[in-house]
Amino acid sequence: MADYINIKGVTIQYLDSDPPNPIIGQVWYNSTTQSFKGAGAGVGAWSSGGALNNTHGSNLGGAGTQTAGLAYGGYPSVTLSEEYNGSSWTEGNNLNTGRSSLAGSGQQTAAITAGGIIGNSTVSNASEEYDGTSWTAGGNIGTARNRGGMSGDSSAALFFGGISPPMQSLTELYNGSSWSEVADLNTARAGLGSAGTSTAALAISGGSAVVESWNGSAWTEISDVNTSRTNPGGGGITTAALVFGGEDPSGDSATTESWNGTSWTEVADLATARYNMARGNIGTSTLNLCAGGTPPATTATEEWTQPATATVSFDVS
């Protein structure tokens, strides 16, 4: 049998404690625990976060990050807006136009939302920008619709899909003041998950398993998600994204899938299955946030954390 040094070109380190920041593939012997250990890819999990102050009914919008999140709107015509600091939600200044089924993206200090439903049936063309304190009116989208997907922030955003009715494949680009129509999605759909920026985005599921990637000028279909769903949460970038929850053919879902730029992999489920949560492009593939949702309407918040590495012990006998 070949020695480790002949296979890897290095010897196994003999340590009295685990290294503080091991890299994936690193192997060592811990003399205190008398065990061989190694570092592998971290495994993600959902944990309980601070509850929203209000249920927002359902179909609320979302943006931001796990430690600086934003949740707003809801059914019917809710104007409430809340900020998350990584442990609790605080009510902030209201939306100017109360509505549900909005799209959202951006940071807590540079967020944008567009479309939605006012009351029970009026489809909105309004967009609003959030600067960390107040919501102000942005330029109206060209085609009023709800349940669309969004990426980017208040200075440069992409709004795609949705339903007006009918189901839409339209994509509109925001330059910080006005919207212009650009290349359509290949598959018209609504209730999509989102990830990315205005020049590199993902349109995820939305009543089908289809996923499309935007390169700044055109949409290209890429690998499907494993579970088709409508109105999921999600976020990240085109090479590392997360989609979770939603309504699948069997009902409300807890399923979470991770994207590595090539394929989707099912990972740990949400503790509370739901859809219509604070839906938008939120967080990253390793740090994300799920807030609110139905059924029934809930204030529950969950935080997704996936460490870069995980230390494991193994038997070499």
Side-chain angles (χ1 to χ4, degrees), residues 50-54 56 61 63-72 80-94 107-111 130-135 289 291 301:
L52 288 161
N53 293 287
N54 306 275
H56 294 251
T65 66
Q66 188 190 89
T67 56
L70 199 60
Y72 48 84
L80 293 170
S81 179
E82 301 189 38
E83 292 185 355
Y84 193 63
N85 64 5
S87 59
S88 61
W89 292 92
T90 302
E91 288 189 36
N93 290 315
N94 290 350
Q107 306 305 306
Q108 196 182 74
T109 55
Y130 189 70
D131 62 5
T133 302
S134 301
W135 290 96
L289 194 65
T301 297

Side-chain angles (χ1 to χ4, degrees), residues 3-5 7-19 21-31 35-40 309-316:
D3 293 334
Y4 185 85
I5 189 171
I7 297 173
K8 295 296 185 182
V10 295
T11 58
I12 296 176
Q13 292 177 292
Y14 187 94
L15 305 172
D16 58 10
S17 63
D18 295 338
N21 296 299
I23 61 173
I24 294 176
Q26 183 176 348
V27 177
W28 64 95
Y29 180 78
N30 186 314
S31 61
S35 60
F36 285 95
K37 292 188 175 184
T309 61
T311 298
V312 295
S313 298
F314 54 90
D315 185 1
V316 296

Side-chain angles (χ1 to χ4, degrees), residues 105-107 109-112 128-130 152-157 174-177:
S105 189
Q107 306 305 306
T109 55
I112 186 165
E128 297 189 39
E129 301 175 14
Y130 189 70
D153 59 26
S154 58
S155 64
Y174 191 59
N175 63 6
S177 60

Side-chain angles (χ1 to χ4, degrees), residues 75-185:
Y75 180 82
S77 299
V78 174
T79 59
L80 293 170
S81 179
E82 301 189 38
E83 292 185 355
Y84 193 63
N85 64 5
S87 59
S88 61
W89 292 92
T90 302
E91 288 189 36
N93 290 315
N94 290 350
L95 286 165
N96 294 286
T97 302
R99 53 210 145 122
S100 61
S101 301
L102 319 85
S105 189
Q107 306 305 306
Q108 196 182 74
T109 55
I112 186 165
T113 190
I117 299 176
I118 302 170
N120 291 319
S121 59
T122 302
V123 183
S124 174
N125 67 351
S127 77
E128 297 189 39
E129 301 175 14
Y130 189 70
D131 62 5
T133 302
S134 301
W135 290 96
T136 57
N140 289 342
I141 53 176
T143 300
R145 51 209 146 119
N146 68 92
R147 298 181 187 274
M150 182 172 280
S151 59
D153 59 26
S154 58
S155 64
L158 199 69
F159 183 60
F160 41 90
I163 185 168
S164 50
M167 204 78 74
Q168 297 286 345
S169 60
L170 291 171
T171 301
E172 296 188 44
L173 181 66
Y174 191 59
N175 63 6
S177 60
S178 61
W179 296 88
S180 57
E181 190 174 335
V182 289
D184 289 355
L185 288 164

Side-chain angles (χ1 to χ4, degrees), residues 195 200-202 204 211-214 220-226 235-243 257-265 284-286 306:
L202 293 179
I204 307 166
V211 180
E212 297 185 44
S213 178
W214 170 257
T220 302
E221 189 171 337
I222 56 176
S223 299
D224 289 356
V225 290
N226 294 288
I237 57 177
T238 54
T239 55
L242 199 72
V243 64
E257 297 188 45
S258 179
W259 168 252
N260 64 4
T262 303
S263 60
W264 293 93
T265 302
T284 68
S285 63
T286 58
Q306 182 174 339

